[in-house]
Amino acid sequence: MSNENSHKAEEFKGKAKAAAGKATDDESLQAEGKADVAQAKGKQAGAKAKDAVQGVANSLKDSPES
């Protein structure tokens, strides 16, 4: 499984955990789920930034020298 899919799965599990906490009135579980979602979104943002930097590096590597 790719990192992107893995991070999306983590986000989904966090949302499910938060929903379960809300449904059962378990504030601790709800907070844990929200934290999991935030962490997964942070990982997704980091992966996107890494891909962007890699794309810039590749374009500079492939460009003709002046």
Side-chain angles (χ1 to χ4, degrees):
M1 182 170 5
S2 75
N3 279 343
E4 182 178 350
N5 288 337
S6 174
H7 300 320
K8 285 286 186 184
E10 285 180 41
E11 181 182 357
F12 178 76
K13 287 193 300 187
K15 286 181 178 182
K17 192 184 290 187
K22 186 174 183 176
T24 60
D25 204 25
D26 184 341
E27 291 179 6
S28 177
L29 185 61
Q30 190 174 1
E32 189 177 325
K34 287 181 179 183
D36 290 349
V37 169
Q39 184 178 18
K41 286 186 177 189
K43 287 179 182 179
Q44 290 172 30
K48 285 182 183 180
K50 181 180 175 184
D51 289 345
V53 168
Q54 187 63 44
V56 170
N58 287 340
S59 68
L60 290 175
K61 181 177 75 172
D62 294 340
S63 68
E65 292 184 33
S66 301

